Amino acid sequence: MKKWQSIVILTVLAILIVLGSVFGFLSLDNGELGITNYYAYITNISLGLDLSGGVYAVYEVDESKLTDEQKSDIDNLIKGTMASLESLLFSKGYTEAQVTESNKRIRVEIPDEDDPERIFSLIGRPSSFEFKEYVDGKEGDLSLNDANGKVKLEEKFTGTDIASTGVRYDDSTGYYEVVLSFTEEGTKKFSTATTALTGSQLSIWINDEFVIAPNVNSAITQGTASISGNYSYDQAYDLAVRIQSGSFPLVLKMSESNTLTATLGSSAIKAGLISGIVGLVLIFLYVIIMYKLMGVAASLSLWFYSLTYLFFLSIFPWVQLTLSGIAGVLLSIGMAVDANVIIFERVKEEYRNGKTMRTSILTGFKRSLGAIIDGNVTTIIGAVVLIAFGAATIKSFGITLLIGIIISLLASLLLTRLILECILVFNDESKAGLFGLKRDIEKGIPEEDEQEQEETSVGSNKKTKRGGAER
C-alpha cells in the first residue's frame, strides 16, 4: 500500500466517524446549520416496556362462538391462541410484546407503539376466515360437495390453514402486497384449489363478509402465495393482520385497555448511555496504553463499530431495546474488544519469536482467525436459540447480541487490520516500540526466515558466478 492510499483511507474513515458521531448523537431541530427537524438516529431505537412504557389490552373468549367440543378443551385452545398471538406480534416487529393468561383472560402488552389501538382492534376483531370459489359473481364453498364439482377438498379452507402473513413491497407495481404462508395441510388444500381454479377467482371472506376476490393466475403448490391489489402499506398491513387473526383457535373480544408506565424510565436510558460512553473511553485508554499504535487502530475500529451498531439498532425492525437488550449491547462490545486483544497478543508473541514487525502483524491476524471465529460462532448460535425459543423478555437480548456479534467480527478482522496496514506505511522496523512490540531476549532469525535468506544468498552467488563467466 502506498502512502497516498493510506492517507485517503484514513481521511475517509475520519470523516465517516465524525459524521456518524454528529448524526448519531446530535439532533438539529432549531435551524442549526440550516437543518430543521433532524433527530439523532439513536432516538429512533425502539424501546421496550421497561424503558418507555406502552399499552395493554385484556381479551376475553367469546364463548357464544364455542362448540361443546371446544368448551371441553378450552385450556388448550387458550394456549394455542396465545402462541398465535405471540407469533403475530413478533412477525409485525413487536419483539418485546408480552402475552399472558389469567382466569381464561388473555392480556397483551405492547411497548413503544404510536398507534396501539389499530393493532388491538385488529386482534380483538372476531375473525372467521374462509377461502371460497368465486364464479359469475356467486360464491361457493371450497368443499367436497361444491355445486360446480370443480374443487375437491375434504375440508373447508379456513384461517387455521394459514401459518403466517406478512407485507411485501412490489417493485414492479409500486404497491404493497399481502404474503401468505400455509401450514402443511393448508398447502395441500390450497394447491388443490388453485389447480382447479386457475384462470378463475378465489374470494376471501372474513366474519362472513366478502373482502376481495383475487384472480388465480396459476397453481400454487409451494406453500406461499401473495395477494396484490394496489394496496398502501397500511391497507396491506391491516388485511394481513385480519387474515392471521382469523387463524386463532378462539374468537377474542377486548374487555379493557390502558397505558403502562415505564418501570425504569428515561433516567435509566441516560444512565445507560453515560455508562456506555465512559466504559468505551476506559477501554480505549487501556488498549492504547497496552498496545500503543495497535491500540489506536483498535480504538478507531471500536468507535466506528459502536456507531454502526447503534445505526443498525435504529433501523432494524425487530429491535425493541430493553434492559436485557442493553446487556446484549454491552456483551457485544466486550466480544469486539476481546477479539482485538486476542489478535494483538498473538502479534506480540510472533514478534518476540523473531519475526519482523509487519510479518508479526499479518501472521497474528491470520493465526487468531480460528479462535475468534469459533468463539463468535458459538455465541451466534446461542443468540439464535434465544430468539427462536426464548421468552419475549429475553428476545431483545438475543437480537441485540446477534447484530452486535456479526458487526464486531467485520470490525475486528477487517477494519482494524486495514487501519493497521495504513499506519504501518509510515513506520519502519525501528519503530516497533510504538506498536507495543518488544523482544525480551534477542532471538535469531526463525527457521522459515533463515531458509528464505539462504535461498536469496544462493541466488546471489549464482548470479555472481554467471557474471564472472560472462566477464
Side-chain angles (χ1 to χ4, degrees), residues 126-198:
S127 295
S128 60
F129 172 85
E130 286 185 271
F131 274 124
K132 297 183 180 182
E133 185 183 4
Y134 193 83
V135 181
D136 298 328
K138 297 180 180 180
E139 295 76 35
D141 291 341
L142 295 178
S143 64
L144 182 63
N145 299 319
D146 186 82
N148 297 286
K150 293 172 60 178
V151 183
K152 303 298 183 182
L153 298 180
E154 295 182 0
E155 298 179 358
K156 292 183 179 180
F157 194 108
T158 63
T160 56
D161 294 311
I162 296 177
S164 64
T165 65
V167 175
R168 180 175 63 194
Y169 181 74
D170 187 351
D171 292 327
S172 62
T173 62
Y175 293 97
Y176 290 89
E177 59 185 17
V178 178
V179 182
L180 306 178
S181 177
F182 303 108
T183 63
E184 182 178 354
E185 185 65 26
T187 299
K188 296 177 182 177
K189 292 182 182 180
F190 202 69
S191 174
T192 302
T194 54
T195 300
L197 295 176
T198 299

Side-chain angles (χ1 to χ4, degrees), residues 349-383:
E349 181 182 347
E350 296 294 331
Y351 188 76
R352 282 195 297 268
N353 288 336
K355 288 184 171 62
T356 64
M357 180 173 64
R358 179 178 294 276
T359 302
S360 298
I361 291 176
L362 296 178
T363 305
F365 273 92
K366 181 178 179 180
R367 294 186 175 177
S368 302
L369 183 63
I372 293 172
I373 290 180
D374 287 346
N376 283 271
V377 166
T378 54
T379 306
I380 288 174
I381 293 172

Side-chain angles (χ1 to χ4, degrees), residues 45-55 110-113 260-266 269 320-322:
I45 299 176
S46 182
L47 302 177
L49 287 166
D50 53 356
L51 296 178
S52 69
V55 290
I110 297 180
D112 198 24
E113 169 58 27
L260 291 168
T261 57
T263 56
L264 297 175
S266 59
I269 301 175
Q320 285 190 309
L321 201 61
T322 62

Side-chain angles (χ1 to χ4, degrees), residues 425-440:
V425 172
F426 301 96
N427 296 273
D428 55 30
E429 190 68 26
S430 64
K431 298 179 181 178
L434 294 177
F435 290 81
L437 302 176
K438 62 179 181 179
R439 295 189 176 98
D440 296 332

Side-chain angles (χ1 to χ4, degrees), residues 309 332 380 383-384 387 397-407:
Y309 190 9
S332 301
I380 288 174
V384 171
I387 295 170
F397 174 81
I399 291 172
T400 55
L401 181 61
L402 179 62
I403 298 172
I405 292 298
I406 293 173
I407 301 175

Side-chain angles (χ1 to χ4, degrees), residues 41-272:
Y41 60 72
I42 64 168
T43 62
N44 295 324
I45 299 176
S46 182
L47 302 177
L49 287 166
D50 53 356
L51 296 178
S52 69
V55 290
Y56 78 90
V58 177
Y59 297 96
E60 294 180 347
V61 177
D62 189 349
E63 297 188 8
S64 65
K65 305 285 186 180
L66 299 179
T67 64
D68 292 337
E69 183 180 354
Q70 289 176 319
K71 289 179 181 179
S72 63
D73 195 30
I74 187 67
D75 291 336
N76 289 330
L77 291 175
I78 288 177
K79 291 179 181 179
T81 301
M82 291 174 61
S84 297
L85 272 171
E86 289 177 346
S87 175
L88 168 65
L89 293 170
F90 186 84
S91 67
K92 301 299 179 286
Y94 302 102
T95 56
E96 289 303 310
Q98 298 183 22
V99 181
T100 56
E101 182 265 338
S102 177
N103 297 324
K104 298 181 180 179
R105 303 174 73 190
I106 297 176
R107 178 185 173 101
V108 179
E109 298 178 353
I110 297 180
D112 198 24
E113 169 58 27
D114 295 331
D115 188 14
E117 291 302 322
R118 182 178 68 166
I119 186 69
F120 282 151
S121 64
L122 290 171
I123 292 173
R125 189 180 300 167
S127 295
S128 60
F129 172 85
E130 286 185 271
F131 274 124
K132 297 183 180 182
E133 185 183 4
Y134 193 83
V135 181
D136 298 328
K138 297 180 180 180
E139 295 76 35
D141 291 341
L142 295 178
S143 64
L144 182 63
N145 299 319
D146 186 82
N148 297 286
K150 293 172 60 178
V151 183
K152 303 298 183 182
L153 298 180
E154 295 182 0
E155 298 179 358
K156 292 183 179 180
F157 194 108
T158 63
T160 56
D161 294 311
I162 296 177
S164 64
T165 65
V167 175
R168 180 175 63 194
Y169 181 74
D170 187 351
D171 292 327
S172 62
T173 62
Y175 293 97
Y176 290 89
E177 59 185 17
V178 178
V179 182
L180 306 178
S181 177
F182 303 108
T183 63
E184 182 178 354
E185 185 65 26
T187 299
K188 296 177 182 177
K189 292 182 182 180
F190 202 69
S191 174
T192 302
T194 54
T195 300
L197 295 176
T198 299
S200 301
Q201 290 176 290
L202 191 66
S203 63
I204 295 176
W205 290 69
I206 297 177
N207 302 334
D208 295 324
E209 295 179 1
F210 173 75
V211 177
I212 188 175
N215 293 316
V216 180
N217 297 322
S218 61
I220 301 173
T221 61
Q222 300 301 315
T224 58
S226 61
I227 302 173
S228 57
N230 297 342
Y231 296 124
S232 66
Y233 176 81
D234 288 340
Q235 290 172 329
Y237 177 87
D238 288 353
L239 179 57
V241 174
R242 289 185 68 190
I243 290 174
Q244 190 161 349
S245 64
S247 66
F248 295 169
L250 296 173
V251 175
L252 305 175
K253 57 182 179 181
M254 187 190 299
S255 61
E256 64 174 288
S257 64
N258 209 333
T259 59
L260 291 168
T261 57
T263 56
L264 297 175
S266 59
S267 59
I269 301 175
K270 292 179 181 178

Side-chain angles (χ1 to χ4, degrees), residues 302-323:
L302 284 172
W303 185 243
F304 187 83
Y305 156 75
S306 300
L307 295 173
T308 306
Y309 190 9
L310 292 173
F311 175 74
F312 275 95
L313 291 180
S314 69
I315 65 172
F316 202 70
W318 286 284
V319 172
Q320 285 190 309
L321 201 61
T322 62
L323 190 61

